[in-house]
Amino acid sequence: MKNIGNSCYMNAALQALSNCPPLTQFFLECGGLVRTDKKPALCKSYQKLISELWHKKRPSYVVPSSLSHGIKLVNPLFRGYAQQDTQEFLRCLMDQLHEELKEPIACHNQEREEEEREEQREMERGTTEDDFLSCDSGGEMGDGEGGGGGVGSLSEMELLIREEAGRSISEKEKLKERRLSYCHRRTSSEQADEDADVDTAMIPEPDNEAYMHCSSRSCSPHPPDSHSKLSSSPPRSSPLRTAHSYVLKKAQVASGGKRRSEVRYRSVISDIFDGSILSLVQCLTCDRVSTTIETFQDLSLPIPGKEDLAKLHSTIHQSAVVKPGACGENYNTQGWLAFLMEYIRSWFWGPVVTLEDCLAAFFAADELKGDNMYSCERCKKLRNGVKYCKVLRLPEILCIHLKRFRHEVMYSFKISSHVSFPLEGLNLRPFLAKECVSHVTTYDLLAVICHHGTAGSGHYISYCQNGINGQWYEFDDQYVTEVHETVVQNAEAYVLFYRKSSEDAERERQKVVSLAAMKESGLLQFYISREWLNKFNTFAEPGPISNQSFLCRHGGIPPNKYHYIDDLVVILPQSVWEYLYNRFGGGPAVNHLYVCSICQVEIEALAKRRKTEIDTFIKLNKAFQAEESPGVIYCISMQWFREWEAFVKGKDNDPPGPIDNSKVALTKSGGHVQPKQGADYGQISEETWNYLFSIYGGGPDIAIRQTIAPPQELEGLHGEQKIEAETRAG
């Protein structure tokens, strides 16, 4: 890839991702699934780049200008030609790809949701101190990076009926979310369409202060939070990449006083890179254990120093004697002689740090005391505690970030210690929770990104293993050189990509190939998800067959997917289908495709309802603006109004729950209700309130008298002509 101006951080990251077979095969073999209506359509730029890189008639090098332009639109941090951090670029890119490609996961039925809640309660009740004795060395548990956000509040003196295109979450909230300790990426709030016309939106001004803060930060090659243990990029709407690290879609009030179930999303990015960690905090007074499941997309590992390393090894060997199966399993195999040789070598040449050391330090116990005491729910007060974490689910590709950069108040520096890492057989079994659902626990190296230089400047290159010939190559912008694996092992690693290794998976693939080659007559043909078949061909653990991805809940093809159904499915012989179904489960079995007539009727009814509500609102709003001195004006929660707007504009398939004015209402003595000072509310006419209330119910109703302010010219919904709106001071 050509360097287009200090873009080595981007080129190194893209080469590493390009040599991750599951991701590259998706963009090469499942190109028809790369569909999005979100700007800047970074997934299409990435698909074009991958196609050029792996084309048989590719040029000597490619120029990633389209993807570079797209990432700069997503995150102003990458604008200009300053050196940036490759890890932060990875988080931003992968988060944006997820947001553009994500699809909602089929809703669990009520029974399954209750089972999950019961499992969580059992986990909280049944976890004992014995579960934590395997990781008993000290270590710091830093905050992970996250992303997410919410919309800034409107002043009670303002009524803005316009939309800020392409922006639904303020930068200030995003930066705040990045400091969360975990991130659950892929289910952030929907991003506003860039070309949408809005008549009903009451959306605040963008937070330009946060934008300036982000774009003016130091360009030294390091992530902003060098102390995070868990990391994942912020949600799409955020220009940086977890809550999220992926913030789940905010809960919304539904009828009957219940909140709407949270919508969960998945994409090829989450399928490949997402894992989960079980965090446990134990109160040292009452022994109560609380648990939290955190989703990660990469692990940010500390590099232990000489003293930390000696303490870590000492603790591991002690716990290995007392309790087999502890975190020191990896170390036991090396023997005391090897340990002694390492100790002597470290005395003369500095500490010998391995990737397993970094993992052990990451998963070590963290004491919660002093200013960091634990608030125990049982004791109802602050207590000393211990925090542990273990892996609950391993990702298909494990991304590891070594925290080489430290930032103090007055200066920054780089940790240049060599960290040895295995090319094959990285075993994560010692760090698994007993509830871990992953069966394959060993990993082989795919790629490693290296940084040469200081904390203030430097150069990025990557070493990647070619999936076709198995050879290692050095990628230095437009220069590509074949290297021996010893060169890779001696590299100063910054970011590593490991892939699950499984001989069983390869044997199963060969079995399917042989079955498909057999000529059998009189058998049925079955349809299977093209995306799942790509998982089977590239994943060590593809999981159950996911044909629900192209079916509706009635078992037919959704009308909006039928015109490109050939991109979603592959036809298999009955023998192959039966083998895959018996081996992996899932389904359902599909041997006939048809457009679902029930969904078609529902879609038409939903479109009619949306149009009716929009048209009625515009009509009532125009009448409201025409009044010179309305007697009564009603207040409505902006949070609820935005949810309603998202529904009627088709950004959210589910209608909002009852109107919830509880956060903007203040009840005075005598039962009089008035808006809270500075609360986030908009102002509508009595007729508009009655109309929305007749559909959604809720409350309480807040009626006030207003004076008239000069009208503002604002845009209407769905490209309708501009109308006049009045801003009335409360």
Side-chain angles (χ1 to χ4, degrees):
M1 294 185 198
K2 183 178 180 180
N3 191 312
I4 52 179
N6 263 345
S7 63
C8 59
Y9 70 92
M10 177 179 68
N11 292 349
L14 291 175
Q15 288 289 9
L17 288 179
S18 172
N19 284 277
C20 292
L23 185 64
T24 294
Q25 287 302 112
F26 171 83
F27 281 95
L28 293 179
E29 304 295 335
C30 306
L33 303 181
V34 183
R35 300 172 180 272
T36 184
D37 56 358
K38 298 179 181 179
K39 307 298 182 182
L42 206 63
C43 61
K44 295 185 180 296
S45 299
Y46 185 78
Q47 181 187 29
K48 179 176 180 291
L49 177 67
I50 293 299
S51 299
E52 292 175 349
L53 284 176
W54 292 91
H55 197 279
K56 292 182 179 180
K57 297 182 180 180
R58 61 185 177 276
S60 58
Y61 61 82
V62 299
V63 184
S65 53
S66 177
L67 190 139
S68 176
H69 177 71
I71 205 72
K72 291 175 181 179
L73 291 176
V74 173
N75 189 348
L77 176 66
F78 298 107
R79 295 173 186 172
Y81 298 96
Q83 179 64 276
Q84 301 294 342
D85 177 59
T86 190
Q87 172 68 0
E88 189 160 345
F89 171 82
L90 277 169
R91 293 178 184 176
C92 182
L93 171 63
M94 293 164 69
D95 182 71
Q96 181 66 20
L97 290 177
H98 165 80
E99 286 300 316
E100 293 180 356
L101 297 174
K102 70 180 183 182
E103 289 192 348
I105 298 175
C107 294
H108 292 242
N109 56 38
Q110 188 174 358
E111 210 171 78
R112 177 59 186 155
E113 289 178 346
E114 181 57 36
E115 287 178 7
E116 290 179 344
R117 286 193 291 268
E118 182 60 29
E119 288 174 3
Q120 179 70 15
R121 288 193 291 267
E122 287 295 331
M123 187 180 297
E124 293 180 0
R125 288 197 298 265
T127 312
T128 65
E129 185 178 359
D130 293 338
D131 298 330
F132 315 116
L133 295 179
S134 60
C135 296
D136 195 24
S137 57
E140 289 187 0
M141 170 70 83
D143 290 335
E145 293 181 2
V151 184
S153 298
L154 275 181
S155 166
E156 64 176 345
M157 305 293 289
E158 297 175 332
L159 172 57
L160 302 179
I161 311 181
R162 65 179 186 82
E163 181 175 54
E164 178 189 349
R167 185 183 179 88
S168 62
I169 298 182
S170 74
E171 295 294 322
K172 182 177 294 184
E173 289 296 321
K174 297 171 195 172
L175 294 175
K176 177 181 178 182
E177 285 290 341
R178 298 183 71 221
R179 294 191 290 269
L180 293 179
S181 61
Y182 60 91
C183 320
H184 187 299
R185 164 179 97 278
R186 278 23 130 231
T187 46
S188 57
S189 306
E190 291 294 327
Q191 189 174 11
D193 292 339
E194 207 169 85
D195 55 353
D197 297 319
V198 184
D199 177 33
T200 61
M202 305 183 205
I203 297 180
E205 293 286 351
D207 189 342
N208 293 322
E209 179 183 350
Y211 244 110
M212 293 299 294
H213 174 73
C214 180
S215 58
S216 62
R217 52 163 286 187
S218 169
C219 296
S220 58
H222 53 72
D225 183 2
S226 63
H227 301 289
S228 61
K229 291 187 75 174
L230 284 180
S231 54
S232 171
S233 317
R236 286 341 15 130
S237 32
S238 169
L240 313 169
R241 185 170 182 294
T242 37
H244 301 283
S245 356
Y246 277 94
V247 175
L248 292 177
K249 186 179 172 105
K250 57 185 178 293
Q252 297 167 320
V253 180
S255 57
K258 296 181 180 179
R259 293 191 174 273
R260 290 164 47 181
S261 59
E262 294 172 338
V263 179
R264 296 188 299 162
Y265 294 90
R266 58 147 298 276
S267 72
V268 63
I269 300 297
S270 61
D271 290 346
I272 295 173
F273 294 98
D274 273 11
S276 60
I277 277 182
L278 180 65
S279 292
L280 312 103
V281 180
Q282 181 180 16
C283 175
L284 295 182
T285 301
C286 68
D287 291 333
R288 181 185 185 275
V289 175
S290 59
T291 62
T292 304
I293 297 176
E294 305 171 354
T295 300
F296 69 90
Q297 196 174 58
D298 54 47
L299 297 178
S300 289
L301 306 185
I303 301 177
K306 187 174 182 179
E307 294 182 1
D308 296 331
L309 199 61
K311 180 181 177 182
L312 185 65
H313 283 194
S314 174
T315 306
I316 287 173
H317 282 286
Q318 290 175 12
S319 61
V321 173
V322 175
K323 181 175 181 179
C327 286
E329 283 183 6
N330 280 357
Y331 301 91
N332 295 336
T333 59
Q334 68 182 358
W336 284 101
L337 181 60
F339 174 73
L340 181 61
M341 294 299 295
E342 282 188 7
Y343 182 79
I344 295 174
R345 178 181 173 183
S346 66
W347 181 265
F348 291 99
W349 293 285
V352 178
V353 184
T354 67
L355 188 60
E356 288 83 0
D357 292 328
C358 299
L359 285 164
F362 178 91
F363 288 101
D366 182 24
E367 296 183 8
L368 305 177
K369 59 184 179 180
D371 294 336
N372 196 30
M373 293 179 69
Y374 165 60
S375 178
C376 179
E377 294 183 5
R378 179 180 296 172
C379 298
K380 304 298 183 184
K381 60 176 62 176
L382 293 176
R383 297 290 195 187
N384 290 339
V386 182
K387 184 173 184 178
Y388 308 83
C389 62
K390 291 189 176 183
V391 179
L392 192 61
R393 181 172 63 85
L394 290 168
E396 182 65 27
I397 290 184
L398 174 65
C399 179
I400 295 177
H401 160 231
L402 298 178
K403 295 158 67 171
R404 290 195 173 276
F405 300 99
R406 292 289 181 88
H407 314 289
E408 307 298 339
V409 176
M410 299 299 294
Y411 64 95
S412 299
F413 65 93
K414 176 182 175 182
I415 302 173
S416 298
S417 302
H418 176 70
V419 177
S420 63
F421 51 88
L423 297 185
E424 296 179 347
L426 175 65
N427 186 14
L428 293 188
R429 183 172 295 278
F431 312 109
L432 301 185
K434 65 180 183 180
E435 301 89 356
C436 182
V437 297
S438 303
H439 300 290
V440 180
T441 61
T442 57
Y443 285 82
D444 298 335
L445 186 67
L446 282 175
V448 54
I449 301 175
C450 304
H451 177 265
H452 301 302
T454 65
S457 63
H459 182 64
Y460 287 99
I461 66 171
S462 61
Y463 296 99
C464 308
Q465 186 180 39
N466 185 279
I468 299 175
N469 60 20
Q471 296 295 321
W472 284 92
Y473 294 87
E474 177 189 274
F475 293 89
D476 185 355
D477 290 330
Q478 58 261 46
Y479 303 102
V480 181
T481 308
E482 183 176 336
V483 296
H484 192 267
E485 62 182 29
T486 55
V487 176
V488 181
Q489 286 182 308
N490 292 322
E492 188 180 291
Y494 179 45
V495 181
L496 302 106
F497 289 84
Y498 279 91
R499 178 188 184 185
K500 279 183 179 177
S501 55
S502 175
E503 296 180 359
D504 292 340
E506 186 59 35
R507 284 195 292 268
E508 287 173 349
R509 285 190 276 269
Q510 293 301 325
K511 175 67 173 177
V512 167
V513 170
S514 62
L515 285 174
M518 295 174 61
K519 302 296 183 181
E520 298 177 276
S521 59
L523 296 180
L524 294 174
Q525 290 184 326
F526 285 79
Y527 297 90
I528 193 170
S529 165
R530 183 182 295 272
E531 188 170 6
W532 185 87
L533 197 59
N534 180 68
K535 287 185 187 179
F536 171 77
N537 289 328
T538 56
F539 280 40
E541 295 182 286
I545 297 172
S546 53
N547 281 351
Q548 290 289 358
S549 61
F550 64 86
L551 299 174
C552 69
R553 66 182 185 276
H554 310 110
I557 308 300
N560 62 324
K561 291 184 177 181
Y562 192 78
H563 67 283
Y564 61 92
I565 190 62
D566 290 342
D567 295 332
L568 303 179
V569 300
V570 174
I571 301 176
L572 296 179
Q574 183 175 347
S575 57
V576 176
W577 163 259
E578 290 177 348
Y579 175 81
L580 293 175
Y581 180 76
N582 292 332
R583 173 65 181 85
F584 297 102
V590 180
N591 57 19
H592 172 61
L593 299 179
Y594 63 93
V595 179
C596 180
S597 58
I598 301 176
C599 284
Q600 184 64 46
V601 172
E602 291 178 351
I603 289 174
E604 293 173 356
L606 185 62
K608 182 178 180 181
R609 172 182 174 176
R610 284 171 169 156
K611 186 176 187 305
T612 300
E613 291 188 23
I614 290 173
D615 292 346
T616 304
F617 180 90
I618 293 175
K619 177 181 177 181
L620 295 175
N621 199 44
K622 286 181 178 179
F624 178 46
Q625 297 158 13
E627 293 186 57
E628 293 185 0
S629 181
V632 179
I633 292 176
Y634 279 74
C635 301
I636 191 166
S637 164
M638 285 294 297
Q639 179 180 351
W640 182 89
F641 188 88
R642 294 185 189 101
E643 293 171 3
W644 174 80
E645 179 206 4
F647 167 67
V648 296
K649 290 174 60 182
K651 296 180 180 180
D652 192 337
N653 290 329
D654 299 323
I659 300 172
D660 183 11
N661 277 345
S662 58
K663 293 183 179 180
V664 301
L666 180 64
T667 304
K668 293 285 189 177
S669 57
H672 177 67
V673 181
Q674 67 181 47
K676 291 181 180 178
Q677 184 71 22
D680 187 16
Y681 68 88
Q683 301 166 354
I684 58 178
S685 68
E686 182 178 11
E687 291 77 10
T688 305
W689 167 265
N690 290 336
Y691 175 71
L692 294 176
F693 182 82
S694 67
I695 299 174
Y696 297 100
D701 58 325
I702 310 172
I704 58 175
R705 293 188 175 276
Q706 298 285 75
T707 57
I708 301 176
Q712 292 179 282
E713 186 177 89
L714 302 158
E715 291 192 330
L717 274 171
H718 298 289
E720 299 188 19
Q721 63 180 2
K722 293 181 179 179
I723 61 175
E724 294 293 323
E726 293 180 349
T727 302
R728 298 178 170 83

